Amino acid sequence: MAFDGIVTAAVAKELSEKLTLGKIEKIYQPEADELVFLIHTRNGNLRLYMSCASNHACIHLTEQTFENPAQPMPLCMLLRKHLNGARIAQIKQVSSERIIEIELETQNELGFSINKVLIIEIMGKHSNISLVDAESRKIIDCVKRVSIDVNRVRQLLPGKTYEYPPVQEKKPFREVELSDIEKALADGTGMEEVEVRAKALLYHIGGISPAISRQLAGLERNFSCQESFEELENIRKKVCGDGRMSPTVYIDEEDVPREFHAVELLDFESACRKVSFDTVSKAIEYYFLNKSSSNRVRQKSGDLERALKGTLEKLYLKKQRLLEDLNNAQNSENYRVYGELLNANLHLIAPGAKEVSLQNYYDGSMVRIALDERFNGVKNAQIYFKKYGKAKTAVHEKTAQLQDTDMDIRYLESVVAMAENAASVEETEAIREELVEGGYLRRRKNVYSPKKIKSKPLEYFTSTGYRVLVGRNNKENDTITFKTAGNKDIWLHTKDIHGSHVILFSEGKTADELGEKTVFEAAAIAAYHSQARSGENIPVDFVPVRLVKKPAGAKPGMVIFTGNRTVWVNPALPKNQIKTSN
């Protein structure tokens, strides 16, 4: 990711031009590591987004809306106290580092004017956002508090004096001169290969990314020192001077963003398709929204999947132990035999004996029976009969527990499939709410009164014009199957594979009357919304809705059905169609 010092300079320049003298109207904190400021400017209200998440740290203007917790987080409340109504005096980059400072003019409780600084550090896993008193440089609070246990050199805690991250011994790209490039290339072992020259420039010049260093070194031919300096001058003019920037995102063959920058990166021109933008903010936002590794949906569903898989691991272990206990209980017939043999041979048991060998009158073999030396033969026989009684009871109890555990495992495996296929934050949150209601997850501390999430199944239309609904979670599965669909509509689901319930609205026709093409398209949709999305030749069961039943006490989405038929299809959605919500 090329959020280097040059991109930071471009962002600082754009924000300075658009937000200086703007007034902070509202402050939100959608996630623990995200902040959104609504700022009133001369050109209308603008929304500033900041994130210090390790996988998508950034700052840019945005037009996107965010879901906010019903109860603001403590840091959000503190920022509102200190910064609501604050005026932005200046926005600047610190040297050539990936640090942006927003200087703010505000008032304290007594009405006196005071200055504060919001410092955004964009440094991968070390990214942070800190609110600092401008005069004393004391930290008011941070998004990520860093104690001495985490970092002995630099702590970020309320009350501590703010210190910049340690700097490397590099010349800031803003200050680099021709002689600096000559020195850097002279230290590059004197070799002519572009990669060696690029590494030498990267080692000596601060604020540039590897892609920029290769560009300065020359791609098709080795630049001379003068040509490298002229290329750097051209970049500096665009991002720091009065030149025109060319924000660009580079996309690979799979339509996944590979890189972005405030200027064109020649290194990616031949291998990727480029998308140009009017502003740096739009380029950054497009990159992060479409980059799967930093996508907010993937992040949320990934957290949910990890929690689910952790719960499943515990259930798998519980099932294994129950099977072992059940096997032991089922093999308890010996306890009854030992008790009977002891009662029939009391005269052969010596007082204080630790064991006795008796003939088993069932098969004639000799049996060695362990005894509790503290008790006589009658008492030892009673002990074995008691063990036998407990074992018989355990068979019933363990069998019932095993059935419940199997039901939980099947249910959670289906939820994992839903989470893996979730395509929006709303879908992920609906799944999480379902699990909270079922008692599988605890409600998150920062959500005190969550909004009621309405059921909005996905909607498609086959090429023959028939409507298809797809449940996005198990509660929606129940809703569309037992409340929305009619008795004559067609219910579809992947065979022995976790996935969504799919309803094909048949308009009163049977599957044969609908035709093979319609049924196969609906089955392909069912296969697509299942764990077998990436597979081929997936079996899909279909049956009239009237033959689908929900057993008493069954988990959400769990059903039984009879009279089904099966088709084999490849997962796919109807062509030239975008899924919609009801």
CSV table of all heavy atoms in Angstrom, one decimal, residues 360-404:
chain,number,residue,atom,x,y,z
A,360,ASN,N,-17.6,-67.0,36.7
A,360,ASN,CA,-18.7,-66.3,36.0
A,360,ASN,C,-19.6,-67.5,35.6
A,360,ASN,O,-19.3,-68.2,34.6
A,360,ASN,CB,-18.3,-65.5,34.9
A,360,ASN,CG,-19.4,-64.7,34.2
A,360,ASN,OD1,-20.6,-65.0,34.5
A,360,ASN,ND2,-19.1,-63.7,33.4
A,361,TYR,N,-20.8,-67.6,36.2
A,361,TYR,CA,-21.7,-68.7,35.9
A,361,TYR,C,-22.5,-68.5,34.6
A,361,TYR,O,-23.2,-69.3,34.2
A,361,TYR,CB,-22.7,-69.0,37.0
A,361,TYR,CG,-23.4,-67.7,37.6
A,361,TYR,CD1,-24.4,-67.0,36.9
A,361,TYR,CD2,-23.1,-67.3,38.9
A,361,TYR,CE1,-25.0,-66.0,37.4
A,361,TYR,CE2,-23.7,-66.2,39.5
A,361,TYR,CZ,-24.7,-65.5,38.7
A,361,TYR,OH,-25.3,-64.4,39.3
A,362,TYR,N,-22.2,-67.3,33.9
A,362,TYR,CA,-22.8,-67.1,32.6
A,362,TYR,C,-22.0,-67.8,31.5
A,362,TYR,O,-22.6,-68.3,30.6
A,362,TYR,CB,-22.9,-65.6,32.3
A,362,TYR,CG,-24.0,-64.8,33.1
A,362,TYR,CD1,-23.6,-64.0,34.1
A,362,TYR,CD2,-25.3,-65.0,32.8
A,362,TYR,CE1,-24.6,-63.3,34.9
A,362,TYR,CE2,-26.3,-64.3,33.5
A,362,TYR,CZ,-26.0,-63.5,34.6
A,362,TYR,OH,-26.9,-62.9,35.3
A,363,ASP,N,-20.7,-67.8,31.6
A,363,ASP,CA,-19.9,-68.4,30.6
A,363,ASP,C,-18.8,-69.3,31.1
A,363,ASP,O,-18.0,-69.9,30.4
A,363,ASP,CB,-19.2,-67.3,29.7
A,363,ASP,CG,-18.3,-66.4,30.5
A,363,ASP,OD1,-18.1,-66.7,31.7
A,363,ASP,OD2,-17.9,-65.3,30.0
A,364,GLY,N,-18.8,-69.5,32.4
A,364,GLY,CA,-17.8,-70.4,33.0
A,364,GLY,C,-16.4,-69.9,33.2
A,364,GLY,O,-15.6,-70.6,33.7
A,365,SER,N,-16.1,-68.7,32.8
A,365,SER,CA,-14.8,-68.1,32.9
A,365,SER,C,-14.6,-67.6,34.3
A,365,SER,O,-15.5,-67.4,35.1
A,365,SER,CB,-14.6,-67.0,31.9
A,365,SER,OG,-15.5,-65.9,32.2
A,366,MET,N,-13.3,-67.5,34.7
A,366,MET,CA,-12.9,-66.9,36.0
A,366,MET,C,-12.8,-65.4,35.8
A,366,MET,O,-12.2,-64.9,34.9
A,366,MET,CB,-11.6,-67.5,36.5
A,366,MET,CG,-11.6,-69.0,36.8
A,366,MET,SD,-12.8,-69.3,38.1
A,366,MET,CE,-12.1,-68.5,39.5
A,367,VAL,N,-13.4,-64.6,36.8
A,367,VAL,CA,-13.4,-63.2,36.8
A,367,VAL,C,-12.7,-62.6,38.0
A,367,VAL,O,-13.0,-63.1,39.1
A,367,VAL,CB,-14.8,-62.6,36.7
A,367,VAL,CG1,-14.8,-61.1,36.7
A,367,VAL,CG2,-15.5,-63.2,35.5
A,368,ARG,N,-11.8,-61.7,37.8
A,368,ARG,CA,-11.1,-61.1,38.9
A,368,ARG,C,-11.8,-59.7,39.2
A,368,ARG,O,-11.9,-58.9,38.3
A,368,ARG,CB,-9.6,-60.8,38.6
A,368,ARG,CG,-8.9,-60.2,39.8
A,368,ARG,CD,-7.4,-60.1,39.5
A,368,ARG,NE,-6.8,-61.4,39.4
A,368,ARG,CZ,-5.5,-61.7,39.2
A,368,ARG,NH1,-4.7,-60.7,38.9
A,368,ARG,NH2,-5.1,-62.9,39.2
A,369,ILE,N,-12.4,-59.6,40.4
A,369,ILE,CA,-13.2,-58.4,40.8
A,369,ILE,C,-12.5,-57.6,41.8
A,369,ILE,O,-12.1,-58.1,42.9
A,369,ILE,CB,-14.6,-58.8,41.3
A,369,ILE,CG1,-15.3,-59.7,40.2
A,369,ILE,CG2,-15.4,-57.6,41.6
A,369,ILE,CD1,-16.6,-60.3,40.7
A,370,ALA,N,-12.2,-56.3,41.5
A,370,ALA,CA,-11.6,-55.4,42.5
A,370,ALA,C,-12.6,-55.1,43.6
A,370,ALA,O,-13.8,-54.9,43.4
A,370,ALA,CB,-11.1,-54.1,41.8
A,371,LEU,N,-12.1,-55.0,44.9
A,371,LEU,CA,-12.9,-54.8,46.0
A,371,LEU,C,-12.4,-53.6,46.8
A,371,LEU,O,-11.2,-53.2,46.8
A,371,LEU,CB,-12.9,-56.0,47.0
A,371,LEU,CG,-13.5,-57.3,46.4
A,371,LEU,CD1,-13.3,-58.4,47.4
A,371,LEU,CD2,-14.9,-57.2,46.0
A,372,ASP,N,-13.3,-52.9,47.5
A,372,ASP,CA,-12.9,-51.9,48.5
A,372,ASP,C,-12.7,-52.6,49.8
A,372,ASP,O,-13.7,-53.1,50.4
A,372,ASP,CB,-14.0,-50.8,48.6
A,372,ASP,CG,-13.6,-49.6,49.3
A,372,ASP,OD1,-12.7,-49.7,50.3
A,372,ASP,OD2,-14.1,-48.5,49.0
A,373,GLU,N,-11.5,-52.6,50.2
A,373,GLU,CA,-11.1,-53.4,51.4
A,373,GLU,C,-11.8,-52.9,52.7
A,373,GLU,O,-11.8,-53.6,53.7
A,373,GLU,CB,-9.6,-53.3,51.6
A,373,GLU,CG,-9.0,-51.9,51.8
A,373,GLU,CD,-7.5,-51.9,51.8
A,373,GLU,OE1,-6.9,-52.8,51.2
A,373,GLU,OE2,-7.0,-50.9,52.3
A,374,ARG,N,-12.4,-51.7,52.7
A,374,ARG,CA,-13.0,-51.2,53.9
A,374,ARG,C,-14.4,-51.8,54.1
A,374,ARG,O,-14.9,-51.7,55.2
A,374,ARG,CB,-13.2,-49.6,53.7
A,374,ARG,CG,-11.9,-48.9,53.6
A,374,ARG,CD,-12.2,-47.4,53.3
A,374,ARG,NE,-12.9,-47.3,52.0
A,374,ARG,CZ,-13.4,-46.1,51.6
A,374,ARG,NH1,-13.3,-45.0,52.4
A,374,ARG,NH2,-14.0,-46.0,50.4
A,375,PHE,N,-15.0,-52.4,53.0
A,375,PHE,CA,-16.3,-52.9,53.1
A,375,PHE,C,-16.4,-54.4,52.9
A,375,PHE,O,-15.5,-55.0,52.3
A,375,PHE,CB,-17.2,-52.2,52.1
A,375,PHE,CG,-17.2,-50.7,52.2
A,375,PHE,CD1,-16.7,-50.0,51.1
A,375,PHE,CD2,-17.6,-50.1,53.3
A,375,PHE,CE1,-16.7,-48.6,51.2
A,375,PHE,CE2,-17.6,-48.7,53.4
A,375,PHE,CZ,-17.1,-48.0,52.3
A,376,ASN,N,-17.5,-55.0,53.4
A,376,ASN,CA,-17.7,-56.5,53.2
A,376,ASN,C,-18.2,-56.7,51.8
A,376,ASN,O,-18.4,-55.8,51.0
A,376,ASN,CB,-18.6,-57.0,54.3
A,376,ASN,CG,-20.0,-56.3,54.3
A,376,ASN,OD1,-20.4,-55.7,53.3
A,376,ASN,ND2,-20.7,-56.4,55.4
A,377,GLY,N,-18.5,-58.0,51.6
A,377,GLY,CA,-19.0,-58.4,50.2
A,377,GLY,C,-20.3,-57.8,49.8
A,377,GLY,O,-20.5,-57.4,48.7
A,378,VAL,N,-21.2,-57.7,50.8
A,378,VAL,CA,-22.6,-57.1,50.5
A,378,VAL,C,-22.4,-55.7,50.0
A,378,VAL,O,-23.0,-55.2,49.0
A,378,VAL,CB,-23.5,-57.3,51.7
A,378,VAL,CG1,-24.8,-56.5,51.4
A,378,VAL,CG2,-23.7,-58.7,52.0
A,379,LYS,N,-21.6,-54.9,50.8
A,379,LYS,CA,-21.4,-53.5,50.4
A,379,LYS,C,-20.8,-53.3,49.1
A,379,LYS,O,-21.1,-52.4,48.3
A,379,LYS,CB,-20.6,-52.8,51.5
A,379,LYS,CG,-20.4,-51.3,51.3
A,379,LYS,CD,-21.7,-50.6,51.4
A,379,LYS,CE,-21.5,-49.1,51.3
A,379,LYS,NZ,-22.8,-48.3,51.3
A,380,ASN,N,-19.8,-54.1,48.8
A,380,ASN,CA,-19.1,-54.1,47.5
A,380,ASN,C,-20.0,-54.4,46.4
A,380,ASN,O,-20.0,-53.8,45.3
A,380,ASN,CB,-17.9,-55.0,47.5
A,380,ASN,CG,-16.6,-54.4,48.1
A,380,ASN,OD1,-16.0,-53.5,47.4
A,380,ASN,ND2,-16.3,-54.8,49.3
A,381,ALA,N,-20.9,-55.4,46.6
A,381,ALA,CA,-21.9,-55.7,45.6
A,381,ALA,C,-22.9,-54.5,45.3
A,381,ALA,O,-23.2,-54.2,44.2
A,381,ALA,CB,-22.7,-56.9,46.0
A,382,GLN,N,-23.3,-53.8,46.4
A,382,GLN,CA,-24.1,-52.6,46.3
A,382,GLN,C,-23.4,-51.5,45.5
A,382,GLN,O,-24.1,-50.8,44.7
A,382,GLN,CB,-24.5,-52.2,47.7
A,382,GLN,CG,-25.5,-53.1,48.4
A,382,GLN,CD,-25.8,-52.7,49.8
A,382,GLN,OE1,-25.1,-51.7,50.3
A,382,GLN,NE2,-26.7,-53.3,50.5
A,383,ILE,N,-22.1,-51.4,45.7
A,383,ILE,CA,-21.4,-50.4,45.0
A,383,ILE,C,-21.4,-50.6,43.5
A,383,ILE,O,-21.6,-49.7,42.7
A,383,ILE,CB,-19.9,-50.3,45.5
A,383,ILE,CG1,-19.9,-49.8,46.9
A,383,ILE,CG2,-19.0,-49.5,44.6
A,383,ILE,CD1,-18.5,-49.8,47.6
A,384,TYR,N,-21.2,-51.9,43.1
A,384,TYR,CA,-21.2,-52.2,41.7
A,384,TYR,C,-22.6,-52.0,41.1
A,384,TYR,O,-22.8,-51.6,39.9
A,384,TYR,CB,-20.8,-53.6,41.4
A,384,TYR,CG,-19.2,-53.7,41.4
A,384,TYR,CD1,-18.5,-54.4,42.4
A,384,TYR,CD2,-18.5,-53.2,40.3
A,384,TYR,CE1,-17.1,-54.4,42.4
A,384,TYR,CE2,-17.1,-53.2,40.3
A,384,TYR,CZ,-16.4,-53.9,41.3
A,384,TYR,OH,-15.1,-53.9,41.2
A,385,PHE,N,-23.7,-52.4,41.8
A,385,PHE,CA,-25.0,-52.2,41.3
A,385,PHE,C,-25.3,-50.7,41.2
A,385,PHE,O,-26.0,-50.3,40.2
A,385,PHE,CB,-26.1,-52.8,42.3
A,385,PHE,CG,-26.2,-54.3,42.2
A,385,PHE,CD1,-26.1,-55.1,43.3
A,385,PHE,CD2,-26.3,-54.9,40.9
A,385,PHE,CE1,-26.2,-56.5,43.2
A,385,PHE,CE2,-26.5,-56.3,40.8
A,385,PHE,CZ,-26.4,-57.1,41.9
A,386,LYS,N,-24.8,-49.9,42.1
A,386,LYS,CA,-25.0,-48.4,42.0
A,386,LYS,C,-24.3,-47.8,40.8
A,386,LYS,O,-24.8,-47.0,40.0
A,386,LYS,CB,-24.5,-47.7,43.3
A,386,LYS,CG,-24.8,-46.3,43.4
A,386,LYS,CD,-24.4,-45.7,44.7
A,386,LYS,CE,-24.8,-44.2,44.8
A,386,LYS,NZ,-24.4,-43.6,46.1
A,387,LYS,N,-23.1,-48.3,40.5
A,387,LYS,CA,-22.4,-47.9,39.3
A,387,LYS,C,-23.1,-48.3,38.0
A,387,LYS,O,-23.2,-47.5,37.0
A,387,LYS,CB,-21.0,-48.5,39.2
A,387,LYS,CG,-20.0,-48.0,40.2
A,387,LYS,CD,-18.6,-48.6,40.0
A,387,LYS,CE,-17.5,-48.0,40.9
A,387,LYS,NZ,-16.2,-48.7,40.7
A,388,TYR,N,-23.7,-49.5,38.0
A,388,TYR,CA,-24.5,-49.9,36.9
A,388,TYR,C,-25.7,-49.0,36.7
A,388,TYR,O,-26.1,-48.7,35.6
A,388,TYR,CB,-24.9,-51.4,37.1
A,388,TYR,CG,-25.9,-51.9,36.1
A,388,TYR,CD1,-25.4,-52.2,34.8
A,388,TYR,CD2,-27.2,-52.1,36.4
A,388,TYR,CE1,-26.3,-52.7,33.8
A,388,TYR,CE2,-28.1,-52.6,35.4
A,388,TYR,CZ,-27.6,-52.9,34.1
A,388,TYR,OH,-28.5,-53.3,33.1
A,389,GLY,N,-26.4,-48.7,37.8
A,389,GLY,CA,-27.6,-47.8,37.7
A,389,GLY,C,-27.2,-46.4,37.2
A,389,GLY,O,-27.9,-45.9,36.3
A,390,LYS,N,-26.1,-45.9,37.6
A,390,LYS,CA,-25.7,-44.6,37.1
A,390,LYS,C,-25.3,-44.6,35.6
A,390,LYS,O,-25.6,-43.7,34.9
A,390,LYS,CB,-24.4,-44.1,37.9
A,390,LYS,CG,-24.8,-43.6,39.3
A,390,LYS,CD,-23.5,-43.1,40.0
A,390,LYS,CE,-23.8,-42.5,41.4
A,390,LYS,NZ,-22.6,-41.9,42.0
A,391,ALA,N,-24.7,-45.7,35.2
A,391,ALA,CA,-24.3,-45.9,33.8
A,391,ALA,C,-25.5,-45.9,32.9
A,391,ALA,O,-25.6,-45.3,31.9
A,391,ALA,CB,-23.5,-47.1,33.6
A,392,LYS,N,-26.6,-46.7,33.4
A,392,LYS,CA,-27.8,-46.7,32.6
A,392,LYS,C,-28.5,-45.4,32.5
A,392,LYS,O,-29.0,-45.0,31.4
A,392,LYS,CB,-28.8,-47.8,33.2
A,392,LYS,CG,-28.2,-49.2,33.3
A,392,LYS,CD,-27.8,-49.7,31.9
A,392,LYS,CE,-29.0,-50.0,31.0
A,392,LYS,NZ,-28.6,-50.6,29.7
A,393,THR,N,-28.5,-44.6,33.6
A,393,THR,CA,-29.0,-43.3,33.5
A,393,THR,C,-28.2,-42.4,32.6
A,393,THR,O,-28.7,-41.6,31.8
A,393,THR,CB,-29.1,-42.7,34.9
A,393,THR,OG1,-29.8,-43.5,35.8
A,393,THR,CG2,-29.7,-41.3,34.9
A,394,ALA,N,-26.9,-42.6,32.7
A,394,ALA,CA,-26.0,-41.7,31.8
A,394,ALA,C,-26.2,-42.0,30.3
A,394,ALA,O,-26.1,-41.0,29.5
A,394,ALA,CB,-24.5,-42.0,32.2
A,395,VAL,N,-26.6,-43.2,30.0
A,395,VAL,CA,-26.8,-43.5,28.6
A,395,VAL,C,-27.9,-42.5,28.0
A,395,VAL,O,-27.8,-41.9,27.0
A,395,VAL,CB,-27.2,-44.9,28.4
A,395,VAL,CG1,-27.7,-45.2,26.9
A,395,VAL,CG2,-26.0,-45.8,28.6
A,396,HIS,N,-29.0,-42.4,28.8
A,396,HIS,CA,-30.1,-41.6,28.4
A,396,HIS,C,-29.7,-40.1,28.4
A,396,HIS,O,-30.0,-39.4,27.4
A,396,HIS,CB,-31.3,-41.8,29.3
A,396,HIS,CG,-31.9,-43.1,29.2
A,396,HIS,ND1,-32.6,-43.6,28.2
A,396,HIS,CD2,-31.9,-44.2,30.1
A,396,HIS,CE1,-33.0,-44.9,28.4
A,396,HIS,NE2,-32.5,-45.2,29.6
A,397,GLU,N,-29.0,-39.6,29.4
A,397,GLU,CA,-28.6,-38.2,29.5
A,397,GLU,C,-27.6,-37.9,28.5
A,397,GLU,O,-27.7,-36.8,27.8
A,397,GLU,CB,-28.1,-38.0,30.9
A,397,GLU,CG,-29.1,-38.1,32.0
A,397,GLU,CD,-28.5,-37.8,33.4
A,397,GLU,OE1,-27.3,-37.7,33.5
A,397,GLU,OE2,-29.3,-37.7,34.4
A,398,LYS,N,-26.6,-38.7,28.3
A,398,LYS,CA,-25.5,-38.4,27.3
A,398,LYS,C,-26.1,-38.4,25.9
A,398,LYS,O,-25.7,-37.6,25.1
A,398,LYS,CB,-24.4,-39.4,27.4
A,398,LYS,CG,-23.7,-39.4,28.8
A,398,LYS,CD,-23.0,-38.1,29.1
A,398,LYS,CE,-22.3,-38.1,30.4
A,398,LYS,NZ,-21.7,-36.8,30.8
A,399,THR,N,-27.0,-39.3,25.6
A,399,THR,CA,-27.7,-39.4,24.3
A,399,THR,C,-28.4,-38.1,24.0
A,399,THR,O,-28.3,-37.5,22.9
A,399,THR,CB,-28.6,-40.6,24.2
A,399,THR,OG1,-27.9,-41.8,24.5
A,399,THR,CG2,-29.3,-40.6,22.8
A,400,ALA,N,-29.2,-37.6,25.0
A,400,ALA,CA,-29.9,-36.4,24.9
A,400,ALA,C,-29.0,-35.2,24.7
A,400,ALA,O,-29.2,-34.3,23.8
A,400,ALA,CB,-30.8,-36.1,26.1
A,401,GLN,N,-27.9,-35.1,25.5
A,401,GLN,CA,-26.9,-34.1,25.3
A,401,GLN,C,-26.2,-34.1,24.0
A,401,GLN,O,-25.9,-33.1,23.4
A,401,GLN,CB,-25.8,-34.2,26.4
A,401,GLN,CG,-26.4,-33.9,27.8
A,401,GLN,CD,-25.3,-34.0,28.9
A,401,GLN,OE1,-24.1,-33.9,28.6
A,401,GLN,NE2,-25.8,-34.3,30.1
A,402,LEU,N,-25.9,-35.3,23.5
A,402,LEU,CA,-25.3,-35.5,22.2
A,402,LEU,C,-26.2,-35.0,21.1
A,402,LEU,O,-25.7,-34.4,20.1
A,402,LEU,CB,-24.9,-37.0,22.0
A,402,LEU,CG,-24.1,-37.3,20.8
A,402,LEU,CD1,-22.7,-36.6,20.8
A,402,LEU,CD2,-23.8,-38.8,20.7
A,403,GLN,N,-27.5,-35.3,21.2
A,403,GLN,CA,-28.4,-34.8,20.2
A,403,GLN,C,-28.4,-33.2,20.2
A,403,GLN,O,-28.4,-32.6,19.1
A,403,GLN,CB,-29.8,-35.3,20.4
A,403,GLN,CG,-29.9,-36.8,20.2
A,403,GLN,CD,-31.3,-37.4,20.6
A,403,GLN,OE1,-32.0,-36.7,21.3
A,403,GLN,NE2,-31.5,-38.6,20.2
A,404,ASP,N,-28.5,-32.6,21.4
A,404,ASP,CA,-28.5,-31.2,21.4
A,404,ASP,C,-27.2,-30.6,20.9
A,404,ASP,O,-27.2,-29.6,20.2
A,404,ASP,CB,-28.6,-30.7,22.9
A,404,ASP,CG,-30.0,-31.0,23.4
A,404,ASP,OD1,-30.9,-31.2,22.6
A,404,ASP,OD2,-30.2,-31.0,24.7
